[in-house]
Structures are given as structure tokens and as C-alpha cells.
Amino acid sequence: AYHLMRVMRAWPGEEVIVFDGSGAEWLATVTRLERSTVELRLLDRREVDRELPFELTLMVALPKGDRQRWLAEKAVELGVSGLVPLATERGVAQPVEKALARLRRTVIEASKQCGRNRLMSIAAPLAAAEAFSAPRVDGALRALLDPSGRQSLQALLAAGGAGKPRSICFAIGPEGGFSGDELRLAASNQWPVVHLGPRILRVETAALCAAAGAQMLGCDSLCSGPEGLAETPSIK
Ligand code: SAM
């Protein structure tokens, strides 16, 4: 209501688009505006898919504060389906429930801005040891990002992307990097270790660089068709 009244300055009779976070959006008209309430009449329900053709998960040893919020915002824009805070040996403190709630609000704001109708999930923190011992499921492409990787992420995506993966998952370490034990555990459980070039990127840059690389695989289906980006509503 606040966004509609104070930011978008909507008036009775105006058409807006509202969404429910699970894939649908509605054309609606504003019927009544009060101090903190806006009443809408829902007109036309549409299933509009602006998602990537695969699940994209980022498991990240989250940076602190604003860099964490920025990472979540940009991950939504790039089509990431789920963000999993990774608890690593060298990680800084894990986000508490209050911080996770803040991130979920960021997800809603970013979805409104970029026209996504499905909310990126923010999972509870997961221990790296648990993440790296999980078996790979069929049709899943996954990689651990580390400057020591022998293969580039680009090469992995070029080889694995052709098989049209159902899901892609990247693990990104903390400022201090993954520990030797974590790297060994991941490698012994078929997590390819890939690099992003010769420079050391900050956590959020590495995570978004990987997400951008993956979303290029799904870009054709994202940008084509009558319900692609050209249809993104101006008021949402
Ligand atoms: N001190 C660590 C080291 O030298 O390995 C660097 C950690 S970096 C700031 C944080 C995380 O971003 C890394 O754990 C890795 O997941 C990812 N990262 C940063 N630069 C990378 C690169 N060039 N290639 C692959 N991953 C990278």
C-alpha cells in the first residue's frame, strides 16, 4: 500500500499489476485509497513465466551487511531461484533470522522492480560439510568456485550446458576462501572446482559472475515470446 500510494502515486481507476510470488500476476484497478490501505479489484489472472529454464541455486558464504543485501537484489534480477547461506570454516557470522527476514524483503522489492513473479527463496544456513557430501542428482550441474580451479566456469558451462541441465548450483566461499578440508570433501564428492579467471573477486562479485554466466544459457527462452521482457509492466 505504501509503495502504491507514496512511490507510484497511484489513483483510483488506475491499472496496476500485482503478483503473488508463486508464478501468477493479475491486472487490477485501484478502487480505494486510504491512509495505509489500498483496495484493488483483480481483473485478469495471468501465468507469466520470467524464470530461467532451470533451477539456479547459489550457495554462498555470505558477506556482511549491505554487500549481502546487494547480492540478494542482483541475484533476483539474474533469475537465481534460491540463495543458501553457506556456513564455512572461515566464514564470518551466519545470518540470524532477523537478517534472513531482511533479505526476504529485499527479494520482494527486487522482484517488483524486475518483473519476476516467483520469489527467490532464502534458505536457512547450511553447513558446507553437509552441502558437499550430498550426492549429485541426475540432470544437475554443480560446481565449487575457487581460484585454484583447473577448469574455467565457462568451459564447464559450455560442456554441461549443452545437456540442458535441470538445475545448476554454485558454491562460493568466504573472504578467506574455502579451507583445504572443504575443497577435498567437495572434490571427493564430484563437485568440479572451477575458476573465474586470474583475479580474486569478492564473494558477491564471484557469486553474481557465476549467476550471470549461467543465465546466459537460459537467455534465449527468457527474452523470446509474447510474455518475455517486453511485457514487463510499468507499475508493479
Ligand atoms: N582468499 C581467497 C583465496 O585466495 O582463495 C579468496 C577468497 S574470495 C575473496 C571469496 C570467494 O569467491 C572464493 O572462496 C571463491 O568461491 C570465489 N572467488 C573469488 N575469486 C575467484 C576466482 N578468480 N575464481 C573462482 N572463484 C573465485
Side-chain angles (χ1 to χ4, degrees):
Y2 179 89
H3 183 74
L4 262 179
M5 281 192 282
R6 310 266 177 253
V7 183
M8 305 308 297
R9 303 204 172 274
W11 287 101
E14 195 160 343
E15 288 196 336
V16 296
I17 305 280
V18 292
F19 74 119
D20 68 358
S22 67
E25 65 182 36
W26 283 261
L27 181 65
T29 40
V30 177
T31 51
R32 202 149 55 95
L33 293 146
E34 281 173 10
R35 253 164 63 90
S36 59
T37 316
V38 177
E39 200 177 86
L40 304 172
R41 182 179 308 121
L42 300 180
L43 302 173
D44 184 21
R45 183 181 191 278
R46 308 159 177 170
E47 290 280 344
V48 182
D49 187 8
R50 297 194 180 94
E51 299 304 301
L52 294 171
F54 43 78
E55 291 276 309
L56 177 56
T57 304
L58 294 180
M59 290 182 174
V60 190
L62 288 178
K64 281 188 179 166
D66 229 32
R67 290 167 51 202
Q68 188 177 106
R69 196 193 56 76
W70 189 79
L71 164 60
E73 181 182 291
K74 303 304 161 203
V76 169
E77 291 173 36
L78 289 170
V80 173
S81 349
L83 181 63
V84 182
L86 205 55
T88 58
E89 277 180 37
R90 297 179 186 157
V92 288
Q94 283 310 302
V96 291
E97 195 40 52
K98 208 168 131 201
L100 294 177
R102 232 187 349 258
L103 283 182
R104 292 189 184 109
R105 282 198 298 279
T106 298
V107 169
I108 294 174
E109 289 304 316
S111 302
K112 285 198 288 192
Q113 184 275 322
C114 73
R116 259 183 100 173
N117 290 323
R118 218 168 266 286
L119 295 181
M120 178 179 84
S121 63
I122 305 279
L126 178 68
E130 200 180 324
F132 297 156
S133 25
R136 191 181 70 83
V137 292
D138 258 5
L141 184 67
R142 62 186 189 180
L144 179 147
L145 274 66
D146 194 81
S148 70
R150 295 231 174 97
Q151 188 186 15
S152 69
L153 176 69
Q154 198 182 6
L156 178 92
L157 289 174
K164 295 206 182 306
R166 279 200 290 274
S167 67
I168 300 183
C169 175
F170 298 126
I172 297 97
E175 287 306 329
F178 285 116
S179 70
D181 282 350
E182 287 165 340
L183 287 170
R184 278 187 287 279
L185 178 65
S188 67
N189 283 299
Q190 284 81 50
W191 280 79
V193 178
V194 299
H195 71 79
L196 295 168
R199 290 168 302 283
I200 303 292
L201 310 177
R202 296 196 92 164
V203 178
E204 64 277 24
T205 319
L208 294 172
C209 175
Q215 76 113 38
M216 290 301 166
L217 288 177
C219 212
D220 279 352
S221 77
L222 245 190
C223 301
S224 63
E227 296 190 328
L229 293 182
E231 294 284 301
T232 304
S234 56
I235 297 186
K236 194 162 179 189

